[in-house]
Amino acid sequence: MNAAGARLEAAGIARADARVLMAHAFGPDMPRHALSERLAQPLPPETAHRFEEAIAARLSRQPVSQIIGARLFWKDSFRVTRDTLDPRPETETLIAAALEAPFTRLLDLGTGTGCILISLLKSMPGAQGVGTDLSPEALEVARGNGVDLGVDPRARWIASDWLAQVTGEFDLIVSNPPYIAADEMAGLSPDVRDWEPHLALSPGGDGLEPYRVMARDAGAHLTPGGRLMFEIGPTQAAAVSAELSAHGFERIEIRPDLDGRDRVVLAYKPMDTGARARG
Ligand SMILES: C[S@@+](CC[C@H](N)C(=O)[O-])C[C@H]1O[C@@H](n2cnc3c(N)ncnc32)[C@H](O)[C@@H]1O
């Protein structure tokens, strides 16, 4: 394992990944804390083979989560594939903000692995939720995660281009859409750019189009006083806030992630839009 760690390091990849990949090579019953003891014995040939394959995949820059097929997010382990974004720690800022107030009907637009919808439903046992995605493959992963993590009866998964196929009203709408601008894609690390689904990373153009569409369409599916919450890129707070304001949302707030970068925009639908329209 040390030699493999050195090969990773020489390629500019974290040496510690070798340990995670070795635990994976042993199979799901090998707890990471027992690894050192197990490595004192000779490696079974099939384990050595699986480990070598995993190291080769990592050297080709495939993310660890895709190689082992899982990623820890909030309180659970989510299945991850090449069709889903690898859930990011900064997205937990959105989870924390959403849990500041109760909700009963939740909509998650662009659900990927389902990590946002499922984490929120698990934390709010009385709530029901709908997760949407344009990718049928991602929706299948989300559905499977929902079953494995026990929210199945409370979650519904639908294929939709943002809100196009959504029906009904919700008191909380959340989304972590693709937000990387087209001209920023080349600067991403190869682990992300070459392996994660393009649909999950960038909508093209200035990266803001999904926010424009959702700010335009979400109000029709929010209860009066309902919350709309977006994850954003750190430079997008002003543009996204302006878009929400232009569509009548109020009490717009920005929340930073643990690194202090703007990460979540939160806004409310006014309590009585009818009164406002009547003037
Ligand atoms: C940044 S990923 C977020 C995934 C997951 N919610 C998370 O936070 O890990 C964006 C997701 O939006 C989906 N997506 C992209 N364009 C979409 C569209 N027009 N309508 C619905 N979903 C879309 C992608 O397939 C992807 O799953």
Side-chain angles (χ1 to χ4, degrees):
M1 192 173 74
N2 284 340
R7 278 162 68 205
L8 293 181
E9 197 169 42
I13 298 168
R15 193 182 183 105
D17 287 357
R19 195 171 174 80
V20 180
L21 296 176
M22 181 60 91
H24 166 70
F26 270 110
D29 297 332
M30 170 60 64
R32 241 175 264 175
H33 63 81
L35 199 56
S36 301
E37 197 182 326
R38 186 63 190 78
L39 285 173
Q41 301 156 35
L43 215 52
E46 67 277 15
T47 305
H49 179 67
R50 268 200 302 272
F51 180 59
E52 197 41 54
E53 277 185 345
I55 291 292
R58 190 69 192 104
L59 284 168
S60 76
R61 293 286 177 162
Q62 187 166 23
V64 170
S65 59
Q66 283 186 14
I67 300 170
I68 68 174
R71 162 70 75 181
L72 283 174
F73 176 83
W74 198 245
K75 297 180 178 172
D76 290 294
S77 177
F78 288 83
R79 189 161 96 82
V80 172
T81 71
R82 277 205 77 174
D83 297 307
T84 58
L85 188 87
D86 186 359
R88 305 291 204 269
E90 52 269 30
T91 302
E92 294 179 348
T93 307
L94 180 74
I95 303 291
L99 292 174
E100 286 171 8
F103 53 85
T104 57
R105 279 162 295 158
L106 167 65
L107 173 64
D108 174 25
L109 299 165
T111 200
T113 54
C115 62
I116 298 176
L117 187 88
I118 293 167
S119 298
L120 289 176
L121 288 181
K122 286 193 73 177
S123 300
M124 202 63 70
Q128 309 259 342
V130 175
T132 75
D133 211 289
L134 198 57
S135 157
E137 293 83 7
L139 275 177
E140 274 315 299
V141 174
R143 195 189 309 277
N145 279 326
V147 171
D148 292 347
L149 296 170
V151 302
D152 190 32
R154 294 190 288 132
R156 213 155 51 81
W157 309 98
I158 60 173
S160 179
D161 185 356
W162 302 127
L163 288 119
Q165 305 302 321
V166 172
T167 55
E169 276 202 336
F170 303 85
D171 52 357
L172 176 61
I173 299 181
V174 295
S175 183
N176 172 22
Y179 53 66
I180 296 168
D183 62 5
E184 291 172 348
M185 286 296 287
L188 295 181
S189 82
D191 306 32
V192 176
R193 189 188 58 226
D194 300 343
W195 286 96
E196 297 206 68
H198 190 279
L199 186 67
L201 296 174
S202 174
D206 64 0
L208 294 168
E209 192 57 18
Y211 301 113
R212 295 189 186 104
V213 173
M214 290 190 279
R216 184 192 69 204
D217 295 345
H221 295 278
L222 265 178
T223 52
R227 292 179 295 161
L228 175 60
M229 219 173 267
F230 294 142
E231 177 169 325
I232 56 163
T235 62
Q236 295 173 323
V240 173
S241 301
E243 203 62 45
L244 288 167
S245 181
H247 287 283
F249 287 93
E250 60 184 26
R251 294 162 58 200
I252 298 169
E253 296 172 28
I254 315 296
R255 298 290 164 78
D257 61 23
L258 291 175
D259 293 325
R261 294 173 300 184
D262 289 346
R263 188 57 66 184
V264 169
V265 180
L266 152 66
Y268 292 80
K269 177 170 168 170
M271 281 307 289
D272 184 359
T273 45
R276 178 178 282 204
R278 286 189 299 272

